[in-house]
Amino acid sequence: MAATFRLLILLLIVVVPPFVRAARDADAVVSRIAFGSCANQSAPQPIWDAVVAFDPQVFVWLGDNVYGDNKRPFRVFGKERTVGPWKNVPRFYPSTEQELRRRYQLAKAKPGYASLRERAQVIGTWDDHDYGLNDAGKEFSGKVFTQRLLLDFLDEAEDSKRRKQAGVYTSHMFGPEGKRVKVILLDTRYHRDPLLSDGTILGDPQWQWLERELHGPQSEITVIGSSIQRNGVIFVSGDVHFGEIARFDCGVQYPLYDVTSSGLTQSVDNSVPIVFQPIMRLLAVLAPTTMRVLNPNCLYKSCTTGQPNFGAIEIDWNALPPRIKLELRDVEGRSVHSVEFPISELQPSGALAMKKQEHAFQRHCTLETELPWLTQYWLALLFFGTIAVFIIAVVLLAITCLSSILTCSKKTKKE
Ligand SMILES: *[C@@H]1O[C@H](CO)[C@@H](O)[C@H](O)[C@H]1NC(C)=O
C-alpha cells in the first residue's frame, strides 16, 4: 500500500535555491501548484471545479491521465478465462491508436479540465494505463504511438526534443531568480524492466539525465532517495487510488515528503458499495504505517483519503523564511490533510539530529518492510482469518442441517 517511496515516485518538485540557472518556462512567480492522477475519461469529473477554485498556476498530471487499456471480465471458468493459473487470455489488453486518441479527446473535452487549461499551465507524465497497458514496462510494443498521443494531449510543441527522445521524462523551471520552482517529471514505464526482475525502472539514459538534472554525482543506484544530493526536494506521486502524505527522515540529511494524490475520479471508496465505506476507513486506520504523516487536523482519522482528491502545493514566497504547504483536497475543495513548514526545513540542519530522539522521528525512519512480520501482515491475517472462520461456520451449519434433515426423514419413514 504505502510503497510510495519504493516504486511510485513519478515526480520530484524541487524548490530551487537562488543560485541556479535561468528560468526556462516563465519568469512569473509560481506559488500554487496542483497535481492529480487516475482520471477516467468516461466518467464525470466534477473535481476540476475544486482544482480551478484553488487557482493553480501549474497543474501536473501524474499518470493514468486516461484509462487507455481495456479490461476483460473476471472469469475463472469458460472459454475466455482471465484469472487463475489456468487462465488463457490476459485480463488487460491495449487499445488501437485510433481508440486511444479518441479517449484523450474525451478527457480534453471535459468542461472543467478545459477551463483549467485556459488558466494554468498543464504539464505531466504518465503511468501504466495511459502508457497503454496495466503494469506494462519497456516490453510494451505500442509505446511509440502512445508517447506521441500523450504529448499531443499535453500540447507539447511539434519540434520539442521530448517528441524525439525515448520516453516522456522532462523538467520545467518556473519563476524568477530567488523564487524558482523546478519540476522534474520521470517516466517509470518506457524503460522499466519486467516486474520482479532485479532491473531498472528509469533506464540508463533517463538516470543519466536525472543526475544531470539534479547535479548529483554519477551513480548506479536504483533507489531514487539515495541519489538526491540536493536541497529542497519533495516527491509527489499518484497511481494507488487513495491519498496520503508520507515523510521519510532517514533518506537524506533532511525530511523527504511524498504527497500521494490518487485519483481524480478513481478511488478506493468508489470501488466498494457505500455500506462498506466505513469499513474501508477503519482498515485505513488499522493498516500499519511507518511513514504516513498523522495529525489531528486530518478530515479522516487515518489521515488518508479514499475519496477522489487532488494535490495542492502553496508557497508563500513573502513569508520570512518562505513557507510551503502540502495539501490534499477533495471534490468540494475541502482540505483533507495538510502539512506546512518553512522551506528552510528542506536542507541539512542540526534540528534533524536533535529530532532523532523523538518517537515520531523513529516512526518516520523505519521502512514498512522492517516492521515485524506479524505487524506487517496482521490485517491480511485478520482478513483471511475472518473468511476462514466464515467458511467453517457455513460448512458446520450445512452439516448440521443435513444431518437433522436425515434424522427427520428417517423418523418419518419409521413412523
Ligand atoms: C470509467 O467510467 C465508465 C463509466 O462510468 C465505466 O463504465 C468504466 O468501467 C470506468 N473505467 C474504469 C477504468 O474504472
Side-chain angles (χ1 to χ4, degrees):
M1 208 151 127
T4 33
F5 279 102
R6 273 167 271 149
L7 260 181
L8 300 169
I9 297 157
L10 295 177
L11 159 134
L12 302 125
I13 290 186
V14 181
V15 180
V16 182
F19 49 82
V20 276
R21 41 176 214 269
R24 225 183 296 159
D25 285 89
D27 262 350
V29 174
V30 165
S31 51
R32 285 180 313 282
I33 300 170
F35 54 94
S37 66
C38 306
N40 180 351
Q41 70 286 344
S42 304
Q45 300 187 346
I47 200 160
W48 294 120
D49 293 342
V51 178
V52 169
F54 173 63
D55 192 24
Q57 291 117 333
V58 180
F59 179 83
V60 191
W61 280 110
L62 293 179
D64 297 344
N65 311 334
V66 292
Y67 281 74
D69 55 352
N70 308 279
K71 198 173 181 178
R72 291 191 177 90
F74 186 95
R75 290 249 163 76
V76 188
F77 305 109
K79 216 159 65 181
E80 283 202 335
R81 300 180 298 279
T82 53
V83 248
W86 50 82
K87 73 172 178 190
N88 61 353
V89 286
R91 188 84 202 279
F92 289 87
Y93 62 97
S95 296
T96 61
E97 180 171 353
Q98 207 180 4
E99 173 58 18
L100 185 56
R101 186 178 296 119
R102 192 188 69 83
R103 294 186 190 185
Y104 272 122
Q105 280 161 0
L106 283 179
K108 219 164 176 170
K110 297 279 175 199
Y113 179 60
S115 82
L116 176 71
R117 281 178 60 224
E118 282 168 17
R119 288 149 218 252
Q121 182 170 350
V122 175
I123 60 176
T125 183
W126 58 17
D127 198 18
D128 51 344
H129 295 289
D130 39 359
Y131 177 55
L133 186 64
N134 185 48
D135 275 347
K138 70 175 181 189
E139 73 291 343
F140 177 58
S141 62
K143 61 189 183 182
V144 173
F145 81 75
T146 61
Q147 170 163 355
R148 188 168 60 241
L149 292 182
L150 173 76
L151 296 180
D152 290 347
F153 175 66
L154 295 172
D155 299 310
E156 190 76 30
E158 280 307 323
D159 60 351
S160 163
K161 218 177 83 200
R162 202 180 176 198
R163 287 186 182 270
K164 296 183 189 94
Q165 72 185 24
V168 302
Y169 55 88
T170 189
S171 79
H172 300 260
M173 184 79 87
F174 300 102
E177 235 176 280
K179 295 181 178 176
R180 279 192 193 141
V181 178
K182 183 167 186 171
V183 179
I184 298 178
L185 295 159
L186 303 180
D187 183 333
T188 58
R189 295 291 160 185
Y190 202 99
H191 298 282
R192 200 208 64 198
D193 281 327
L195 285 177
L196 306 180
S197 74
D198 217 6
T200 169
I201 293 176
L202 300 182
D204 287 344
Q206 186 174 186
W207 264 116
Q208 285 152 19
W209 166 85
L210 180 61
E211 280 163 9
R212 282 199 304 275
E213 288 289 322
L214 294 170
H215 305 291
Q218 205 70 24
S219 83
E220 296 310 314
I221 307 160
T222 47
V223 184
I224 197 162
S226 60
S227 75
I228 300 163
Q229 305 290 332
R230 182 180 181 120
N231 300 340
V233 174
I234 292 160
F235 291 93
V236 292
S237 56
D239 183 54
V240 291
H241 295 195
F242 67 94
E244 70 170 350
I245 300 178
R247 198 184 86 211
F248 187 52
D249 289 343
C250 290
V252 293
Q253 295 297 302
Y254 61 87
L256 285 175
Y257 283 91
D258 179 21
V259 188
T260 304
S261 167
S262 175
L264 294 161
T265 65
Q266 310 300 92
S267 70
V268 286
D269 281 8
N270 290 354
S271 62
V272 300
I274 210 154
V275 290
F276 289 122
Q277 290 188 4
I279 299 179
M280 300 298 286
R281 298 239 171 86
L282 184 68
L283 288 178
V285 174
L286 296 177
T289 171
T290 56
M291 309 221 210
R292 183 176 306 148
V293 178
L294 303 169
N295 72 39
N297 305 333
C298 296
L299 192 61
Y300 305 108
K301 190 158 181 267
S302 63
C303 285
T304 64
T305 175
Q307 293 288 324
N309 62 85
F310 70 98
I313 296 176
E314 265 179 288
I315 308 164
D316 181 356
W317 291 111
N318 297 326
L320 267 176
R323 295 179 69 80
I324 188 164
K325 183 175 180 188
L326 312 174
E327 196 174 29
L328 290 168
R329 295 193 181 196
D330 67 10
V331 175
E332 316 288 340
R334 255 186 320 186
S335 177
V336 178
H337 187 8
S338 68
V339 291
E340 197 189 331
F341 49 87
I343 63 173
S344 55
E345 265 183 28
L346 300 177
Q347 293 173 9
S349 81
L352 195 75
M354 278 170 62
K355 266 167 80 183
K356 287 204 182 201
Q357 314 303 328
E358 291 172 24
H359 173 72
F361 179 89
Q362 301 211 334
R363 210 171 69 79
H364 290 285
C365 250
T366 313
L367 295 175
E368 257 132 48
T369 49
E370 290 167 359
L371 288 173
W373 187 87
L374 206 60
T375 319
Q376 275 187 56
Y377 295 107
W378 83 269
L379 264 187
L381 288 174
L382 186 74
F383 179 74
F384 290 112
T386 313
I387 292 182
V389 168
F390 182 74
I391 291 175
I392 291 171
V394 168
V395 169
L396 283 180
L397 197 72
I399 292 175
T400 322
C401 284
L402 214 65
S403 65
S404 58
I405 290 171
L406 285 179
T407 344
C408 269
S409 66
K410 265 185 205 160
K411 262 188 202 161
T412 22
K413 258 185 208 164
K414 265 187 201 163
E415 283 163 16

